Amino acid sequence: MRDTAKHQGLRNQLVSVLEQKGITDKKVLEAIKKVPRHLFLNSSFEDYAYQDKAFPIGAGQTISQPYTVAFQSQLLEVQKEHKILEIGTGSGYQTAVLCAMGAKVYTIERQIELFKKTSVLLPKLGIRPKYFASGDGYKGLEIHGPFDSIIVTAGAPIIPKPLMAQLKIGGRLVIPLGEEVQIMTLLIRKNETQFEKHELGEFKFVPLLEDTN
């Protein structure tokens, strides 16, 4: 579990790449600079950890490309102490970035294998989400809602209704929508019944799976 000056140098380079690609939120860039991404990957990928690429993490899932993590995080407009619901913990890297930005993160992972691995890793790294559970992300976490923002880190065919219901007024929901290729979609809750929708370009994610049992 080593994080060296070399790793820090590679993170600084990664941040420059993200700035060139249009990431401007200083809090996001600082968090990416801080979080040791190589520790969230299988050690065979360690040398590539700070390239702007996605990698497999087991259970048919991937750790998102740093640009995608930064882009989604920037859309959330995170403030300190914000309650954020994350659907799809995966390796925990996105969770760590949000925690580094001062958010209170509630996160759900439905793949038991990943849930077990990540629930051991995060405390080792001193990363403590407010709540971490294994379960069906489509349902959200009504008992802990409403949330300042919600981030979905897998491609979804539709926007799950429970997630819209668990968003505070003024809150932001960031979700990649679509089957093969996804459109990054931002919903801002205007009042009890109205949402403002923004479509922000194409991304590629693994599918968001719904519990069928």
Side-chain angles (χ1 to χ4, degrees):
M1 305 289 278
R2 288 181 335 122
D3 186 31
T4 63
K6 179 188 164 194
H7 291 124
Q8 186 59 65
L10 291 169
R11 283 202 289 282
N12 296 346
Q13 284 172 9
L14 174 60
V15 164
S16 303
V17 169
L18 297 178
E19 285 182 306
Q20 283 159 16
K21 289 188 172 182
I23 302 296
T24 54
D25 186 322
K26 290 283 177 261
K27 281 194 291 252
V28 174
L29 296 166
E30 278 309 311
I32 300 258
K33 205 177 269 187
K34 217 156 69 181
V35 177
R37 187 177 189 243
H38 64 283
L39 299 180
F40 293 84
L41 288 167
N42 182 312
S43 57
S44 57
F45 295 116
E46 185 180 335
D47 293 345
Y48 311 102
Y50 296 105
Q51 293 181 6
D52 193 18
K53 288 193 174 113
F55 292 104
I57 54 169
Q61 306 299 299
T62 55
I63 182 172
S64 291
Q65 179 186 349
Y67 173 72
T68 305
V69 170
F71 189 79
Q72 283 194 287
S73 302
Q74 178 164 283
L75 287 177
L76 293 176
E77 296 189 352
V78 179
Q79 300 299 324
K80 219 171 175 42
E81 300 292 304
H82 260 187
K83 268 174 82 173
I84 298 182
L85 174 61
E86 177 190 32
I87 307 300
T89 320
S91 67
Y93 178 67
Q94 173 75 72
T95 316
V97 167
L98 294 172
C99 288
M101 291 171 73
K104 291 180 176 167
V105 184
Y106 295 73
T107 184
I108 307 178
E109 175 54 57
R110 79 182 288 285
Q111 304 280 354
I112 289 291
E113 176 195 334
L114 283 179
F115 172 72
K116 286 182 177 159
K117 208 157 100 180
T118 303
S119 52
V120 171
L121 176 67
L122 291 178
K124 270 190 191 161
L125 299 176
I127 295 153
R128 293 184 177 81
K130 199 80 183 141
Y131 180 88
F132 181 21
S134 166
D136 182 358
Y138 266 79
K139 299 190 179 91
L141 278 177
E142 192 180 0
I143 184 167
H144 292 290
F147 296 94
D148 293 295
S149 51
I150 298 175
I151 176 172
V152 179
T153 63
I158 52 142
I159 301 174
K161 289 274 188 295
L163 298 187
M164 292 168 74
Q166 289 166 35
L167 199 59
K168 282 182 184 173
I169 289 170
R172 304 165 80 84
L173 168 62
V174 176
I175 182 167
L177 275 186
E179 302 282 354
E180 290 302 309
V181 171
Q182 291 81 33
I183 302 295
M184 192 65 76
T185 306
L186 166 66
L187 282 192
I188 302 172
R189 185 165 204 168
K190 288 298 174 191
N191 52 40
E192 282 305 323
T193 55
Q194 286 172 308
F195 291 81
E196 183 181 292
K197 184 175 173 187
H198 303 263
E199 294 187 340
L200 300 146
E202 287 188 0
F203 285 79
K204 204 156 177 33
F205 282 80
V206 292
L208 177 66
L209 302 170
E210 185 169 14
D211 274 347
T212 43
N213 43 18

